[in-house]
Amino acid sequence: MNRISQLIKEKAFHLNTAFASNAKLLSQKDFLCMFIFIYLFTLLAFYRLGNNYAPSTSYGADSDNRDIVLDFGEYLDVGSISIFLGNLNTRHFSISAFNEVTGAWEICNGDTIAESVFAWNKIDVNYRLRYLGIVSTDDTAILNEMVVQSTDGSILTPVNAAEYPALFDEQYMFPDAKTYLNSTMFDEVYHGRTAYEFIHGLTAYETTHPHLGKILIALGILVFGMNPFGWRFMSAAFGIFMVPLMYLFAKRLSKSTFIASATTCLLVFDCIHFTLSRIATIDIFAAFFILLMYDFMYQYFTQDAKYRSSEASRTDLFPPGNVALPLALSGISMALGVATKWTGVYAGLGLAVLFFWYTIAHFPKKQVLRLFGFCCVFFVAVPLIVYVLCFIPVVDNGQYHNLMDKALQGTVSMFDYHSNLEAEHYYSSPFYEWPIIWMPLLDANDEVNAIQVSAVSCMGNPAIWWVGIPCVFYVFFRWIFQKDKKAGFLCIAYLAQYIPWMPISRITFIYHYFPAILFVILMMGYVMGRIKERFVWGKKAIAAYLVLAVLCFFLFYPVVSGFPIDKEYGMRLRWLKEWILVL
């Protein structure tokens, strides 16, 4: 019993040592700098994030109730119908007008489509009529609101609107222009929709990725409602969480407040980090967990170095708490990453390389085996458990025997989808084009008026990404020829996020490079640290470069944020011929 008591005390001592070590990492100046960057990015992320309201009451059309007949009381020139769809996409309608002379319905638009879920979909009519017939030609359709406009744009209210209360009770929510502020954009029609379906116990539409990211999106919807602000809230929150995480990681690597601040500044003002923090997709969550797992793995290295040089290393307690804790947390972070997106598996391979590279070089065989057993729990068992648990919200329609079967069938389905995908997309780009931002991804482009558009482009900040390319080569040089282990850590982490995409034949997009660019930014911090140490003018040069990077961000801000701008401005930002930042 005395021996057990001693082991417990020693374990508690090591845990306290680990927490104290992290606390000592940051000075008051560090906390101030970190707070400033968190505050700045919070302002950027939440400014015009999206409306905190959207039509919510719904009208369901099915095979027994598919006809909507609107009476305007007199003949009017009807220009269009705008429908805010519920969670069922690509609904087909037949639009017709009743001819009181012939007593027959005349087709205005025989087969038209409202495509995007939780978004305003405009259908042209351009017909003079009194009675307007709208027939849903699908088995089911969910319509959250309907707005009829005349040819001059004014809103027309049917005299029989009371017969369809769910369609005409939220007319005040109809926007002057359909933009990202009031509608879904890009893959939000998959991930935001599926989050809504999880909440309401509906069959999930998006099943091509693990489900933790969509569960996180659902948390924002539960708190703020099914509206643009609600479905984007958690993305913005995780984008903000990434700021202090980057600061801490950079401070661990550089031991410099100035370099940690400079590195974090690059993250805060990188366009793709900004864009992915403002869209309800799963990539920001996966990237956060990837950065977190590597931060904890680096802590494992540094904590072990301290342990082996201390008196505590002479005890037979192994692994000690201050070594075991970051290693365990790295595994838990990997579990969360894998349960969000399979890119977490790629990251896990990089962690494995780093773990064995360090552990085999620093521990005797017996301790290596004990650490390997420890890692089997946190890097294999825990990720499997978390991965299976993320399938709980998936509705069981009788095709699964249990939760494990649900996860297994879901995984097979995901693999089949990604391995057999033969889709094409204008904005897709292969891996070798990502670092130079050859093909940005246009997430949204909507006309605000005759001369202005609201565009959201997913792209990197050229002043960061292009400068990052030589920095990557320099860090690789330091690793290969100077045997710099810190450089080696960053290189392996970067390669783990990049190499797995190289043999993939399905379409890919620039945002797939985002986890890798996080380590490019850390590499740039490494290079800035070298410049600061070796040149007396280093700090001034770095400060000047950061000003340039910030100015470049605000130069592109209108086309990555959706802020209304003249089309001509967007065209002037076409620095490369393939760039289409506005339409």
Side-chain angles (χ1 to χ4, degrees), residues 362-488:
H362 292 87
F363 292 98
K365 183 178 180 181
K366 182 179 179 180
Q367 291 186 337
V368 169
L369 293 175
R370 291 183 67 176
L371 275 173
F372 179 74
F374 181 84
C375 287
C376 285
V377 174
F378 287 98
F379 289 87
V380 179
V382 171
L384 283 174
I385 292 170
V386 174
Y387 182 81
V388 171
L389 291 176
C390 82
F391 283 82
I392 290 176
V394 177
V395 173
D396 186 347
N397 292 318
Q399 70 267 41
Y400 309 118
H401 298 297
N402 48 48
L403 180 59
M404 184 67 73
D405 183 50
K406 187 191 295 187
L408 181 60
Q409 289 194 43
T411 301
V412 171
S413 175
M414 290 177 205
F415 180 81
D416 289 343
Y417 170 83
H418 290 290
S419 60
N420 298 316
L421 182 63
E422 295 182 356
E424 295 182 359
H425 197 290
Y426 181 82
Y427 295 105
S428 65
S429 57
F431 71 92
Y432 51 83
E433 293 180 354
W434 298 340
I436 58 174
I437 326 175
W438 185 258
M439 176 61 77
L441 169 63
L442 191 59
D443 286 338
N445 186 90
D446 300 288
E447 288 190 3
V448 176
N449 51 49
I451 62 172
Q452 288 190 312
V453 295
S454 169
V456 179
S457 293
C458 186
M459 62 178 294
N461 182 333
I464 297 174
W465 285 38
W466 292 348
V467 172
I469 294 173
C471 291
V472 169
F473 282 110
Y474 176 76
V475 177
F476 269 89
F477 171 82
R478 291 282 302 171
W479 175 35
I480 296 170
F481 296 102
Q482 303 296 324
K483 309 301 179 184
D484 188 317
K485 294 181 179 179
K486 194 176 294 185

Side-chain angles (χ1 to χ4, degrees), residues 238-239 242-243 245-246 249-250 253 263-264 266-268 270 272-274 276-277 283-294 464-465 472 490 493-494 497 511-526:
F238 270 74
M242 196 176 287
V243 174
L245 176 57
M246 178 63 79
F249 204 163
L253 287 164
T263 306
T264 306
L266 296 180
L267 176 73
V268 167
D270 181 43
I272 200 167
H273 171 237
F274 171 78
L276 293 179
S277 299
D283 297 279
I284 193 72
F285 308 120
F288 173 83
F289 292 131
I290 288 171
L291 187 64
L292 185 64
M293 66 180 82
Y294 277 90
I464 297 174
W465 285 38
V472 169
L490 293 173
Y494 171 75
Q497 318 317 311
Y511 62 78
H512 289 130
Y513 190 59
F514 180 52
I517 205 67
L518 297 176
F519 294 99
V520 172
I521 289 173
L522 286 169
M523 288 177 168
M524 295 175 74
Y526 174 94

Side-chain angles (χ1 to χ4, degrees), residues 8 83 128 139 151 211 229 283 292 350 393 401 412 428 460 490 498 528 534:
I8 293 174
I83 298 174
R128 185 169 181 79
D139 291 337
T151 51
H211 303 296
F229 184 88
D283 297 279
L292 185 64
H401 298 297
V412 171
S428 65
L490 293 173
Y498 196 26
M528 288 188 290
R534 297 191 63 181

